[in-house]
């Protein structure tokens, strides 16, 4: 039950992006601080795997994309958006939409790449 997976993803993105001001500084802390969050990180990975499966079952994410890649891509985008907003390169209001768009659609256009045939 509940919301469709895409709406759940949008809520997660909005929440995580809004935490950027408070948590961006953690990226510069020593690894020892991170060791205390091992259990939490493992549970987050499990939750992402569940969400990835829902996104696939609803046709939002391609079935051949590994669940782990959905999680890694999201983590990379969150780091990037936090850095972009903190550095003044990305407007805070645009951040959630950019993360969701890039995660679900990528940044490429629908035009065929060189060497690809159109059918």
């Amino acid at each position: 039950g509940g919301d469709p997976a895409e709406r759940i993803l949008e809520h997660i993105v909005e929440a995580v992006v809004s935490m950027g001001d408070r948590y961006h500084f953690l990226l510069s802390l020593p690894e020892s601080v991170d060791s205390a969050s091992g259990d939490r990180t493992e549970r987050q990975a499990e939750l992402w795997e569940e969400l990835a499966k829902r996104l696939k079952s609803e046709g939002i994410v391609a079935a051949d994309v590994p669940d782990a890649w959905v999680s890694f891509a999201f983590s990379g985008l969150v780091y990037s958006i936090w850095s972009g907003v903190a550095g003044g390169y990305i407007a805070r209001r645009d951040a959630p939409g950019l993360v969701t768009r890039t995660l679900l659609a990528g940044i490429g256009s629908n035009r065929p790449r060189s060497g690809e045939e159109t059918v």
Side-chain angles (χ1 to χ4, degrees), residues 80-81 84-92 94-95 98:
S80 297
I81 208 72
V85 169
Y89 301 105
I90 306 291
R92 183 181 320 281
D94 295 338
L98 288 169

Side-chain angles (χ1 to χ4, degrees), residues 21-55:
D21 288 342
R22 287 181 279 166
Y23 296 104
H24 185 72
F25 77 94
L26 291 174
L27 300 173
S28 63
L29 293 177
E31 286 293 319
S32 60
V33 173
D34 193 44
S35 65
S37 65
D39 291 339
R40 186 174 37 219
T41 302
E42 189 172 316
R43 180 62 184 141
Q44 288 171 347
E46 291 170 7
L47 291 172
W48 269 107
E49 185 174 324
E50 291 171 23
L51 181 58
K53 288 179 187 338
R54 283 191 65 179
L55 290 165

